[in-house]
Amino acid sequence: GGEGQALHWHKRAGTHRRLGSDRQGSQTRRDKHLPDIAGLIDPEQFDLISRPEGFIVIRGSAGSGKTTVALHRIAWLAHGNGHINSGRTLFLVFSKALREYVGHVLPALGVGNVNIRTFREWSGFQRRQHFRDLPGALRHDTPAVVVAFKSHPAAMKALAWQVERTPGRAKAAQVVEDWANALSNPDLLAAAVQETVPGSFTGEELQQVALWCGMQHAELAQWQDHKNAPQDDEQEPHDEYFGADRNSDGRCFDEEDDTLLLYGWQLRVGPLLGPNRRPLRLLHVAIDEVQDFSPIDVRVVLGCLDERESITLAGDTQQHVMKDAGFTSWSDFLATWACKAPRLRR
């Protein structure tokens, strides 16, 4: 879009600064600080950009301007509501390359305080903040079937059922037990698959998932026992345990477990916590290339929104990078979490 009709920041005498041109065709000033991407904004895109705070899904093929709209929407909201330009506004992307791009464009639009992260950076940080007694390093030998299941709506369902049926204290340790018991129970996993997407995993595959997760729990228990064991002054720094066990550095968790543990926290304990251990409440979230996020990824982020529930999702189902992310269609994806934050325990 665009074709010489780009919309730019300008200031007219007697008016506030705004994004766009007036309907009468008044001349606008091209802001020299805006990147060329601003030339892609056409009137239809401007209508999306200028929507009030709330829930918006932007669908389109490659090069159609989805990212442009998401970026300029944050700038528009920040212009009308200055506190949007803060660390409590989050722009999530799938790749580091896109993070670098967004990190250059938003400041050029006058929005320099937004928190820009890949989802794995954000979820990893949040998991380490909420589960400080767990090892932070992740393993990199996860079987494909385990990655696929942990990114699937059935994993979310199994975890929710586990919390519902199991009394327990609202503590991080109980969340870890919920995670371990849910994902190592093949019968529960099978019921969750039947409830969400029947036939998406075979019984043999679910057995593999359960065995892997049971092994993870055993390795975590071993790591915790060693960590809490009394230290012998005469013991060598690199003892037999550290020399023999390939996971002795605590690499018990898969990358996908960060999100599962955070979702378990939301279900068992309540809202995720931000600075000063107060509930994390985000003013606005934009997620680009959302088709490469799993439903549980988005569900966790949605649970961090404040009462305005302002979020922008941009993506294209034909541009999958991660085929196992659980995104099959917009209707299925949105139905998974019904455009609402998870019901949180207090």
Side-chain angles (χ1 to χ4, degrees):
E3 296 298 331
Q5 300 178 10
L7 309 176
H8 303 283
W9 288 103
H10 72 292
K11 187 172 184 179
R12 297 172 56 207
T15 66
H16 297 291
R17 275 180 26 150
R18 60 187 291 265
L19 182 65
S21 58
D22 61 30
R23 298 291 181 178
Q24 285 72 39
S26 298
Q27 282 295 109
T28 64
R29 179 179 63 83
R30 179 179 295 273
D31 189 329
K32 295 181 180 179
H33 298 291
L34 288 181
D36 290 340
I37 195 70
L40 295 175
I41 302 175
D42 59 30
E44 289 182 328
Q45 292 170 324
F46 179 72
D47 287 340
L48 283 174
I49 290 167
S50 57
R51 296 279 181 92
E53 292 174 306
F55 186 96
I56 288 184
V57 173
I58 306 168
R59 297 180 290 179
S61 58
S64 60
K66 301 183 299 296
T67 303
T68 301
V69 171
L71 289 166
H72 285 75
R73 177 163 165 72
I74 288 182
W76 173 269
L77 293 175
H79 173 60
N81 187 351
H83 69 282
I84 291 289
N85 184 16
S86 77
R88 290 178 59 201
T89 294
L90 182 63
F91 200 110
L92 289 174
V93 297
F94 182 72
S95 68
K96 292 182 179 180
L98 188 53
R99 179 197 63 191
E100 294 301 313
Y101 170 73
V102 172
H104 283 89
V105 175
L106 276 179
L109 295 174
V111 186
N113 298 323
V114 170
N115 192 9
I116 306 166
R117 295 287 182 269
T118 67
F119 181 78
R120 292 307 172 195
E121 289 171 341
W122 182 82
S123 63
F125 172 80
Q126 295 298 335
R127 199 265 284 182
R128 290 189 296 272
Q129 291 295 107
H130 289 77
F131 298 88
R132 298 188 178 189
D133 291 334
L134 298 183
L138 300 174
R139 62 194 309 153
H140 304 291
D141 58 346
T142 314
V145 67
V146 176
V147 173
F149 184 83
K150 288 184 175 182
S151 303
H152 194 274
M156 188 163 56
K157 176 65 69 174
L159 188 55
W161 281 345
Q162 180 68 30
V163 174
E164 289 173 3
R165 73 183 193 179
T166 308
R169 299 179 65 190
K171 299 290 185 181
Q174 181 60 51
V175 175
V176 176
E177 287 299 312
D178 294 333
W179 162 83
N181 292 331
L183 296 179
S184 61
N185 184 338
D187 293 334
L188 183 63
L189 303 187
V193 169
Q194 185 62 30
E195 179 75 12
T196 54
V197 188
S200 51
F201 293 90
T202 68
E204 182 179 352
E205 288 173 330
L206 294 178
Q207 287 286 347
Q208 294 177 34
V209 173
L211 286 172
W212 177 266
C213 296
M215 177 202 67
Q216 285 184 282
H217 194 207
E219 289 181 346
L220 175 62
Q222 185 183 24
W223 180 85
Q224 291 172 325
D225 288 346
H226 183 81
K227 177 185 175 184
N228 297 327
Q231 295 298 312
D232 186 346
D233 292 339
E234 297 181 358
Q235 191 175 36
E236 292 294 329
H238 300 287
D239 59 15
E240 181 180 356
Y241 177 86
F242 281 97
D245 195 317
R246 65 189 175 94
N247 285 319
S248 60
D249 60 354
R251 294 183 183 273
C252 309
F253 293 100
D254 302 321
E255 193 175 70
E256 294 72 26
D257 289 322
D258 284 346
T259 317
L260 288 167
L261 288 168
L262 293 174
Y263 184 61
W265 177 287
Q266 290 176 321
L267 293 170
R268 174 69 69 178
V269 181
L272 298 186
L273 303 177
N276 301 319
R277 307 297 285 176
R278 301 183 65 178
L280 177 62
R281 288 295 177 232
L282 299 174
L283 303 172
H284 183 78
V285 175
I287 303 180
D288 201 11
E289 305 298 352
V290 69
Q291 73 277 357
D292 289 317
F293 292 72
S294 72
I296 193 170
D297 292 343
V298 180
R299 185 71 176 266
V300 166
V301 175
L302 213 64
C304 298
L305 294 174
D306 68 6
E307 65 278 2
R308 285 164 291 203
E309 295 188 334
S310 186
I311 189 169
T312 301
L313 303 179
D316 175 15
T317 56
Q318 303 303 313
Q319 296 182 61
H320 279 294
V321 174
M322 298 296 292
K323 299 297 184 182
D324 295 326
F327 193 116
T328 54
S329 70
W330 279 104
S331 57
D332 291 343
F333 186 77
L334 297 175
T336 300
W337 37 273
C339 301
K340 294 181 180 179
R343 185 171 299 171
L344 305 180
R345 288 192 172 194
R346 300 291 178 186

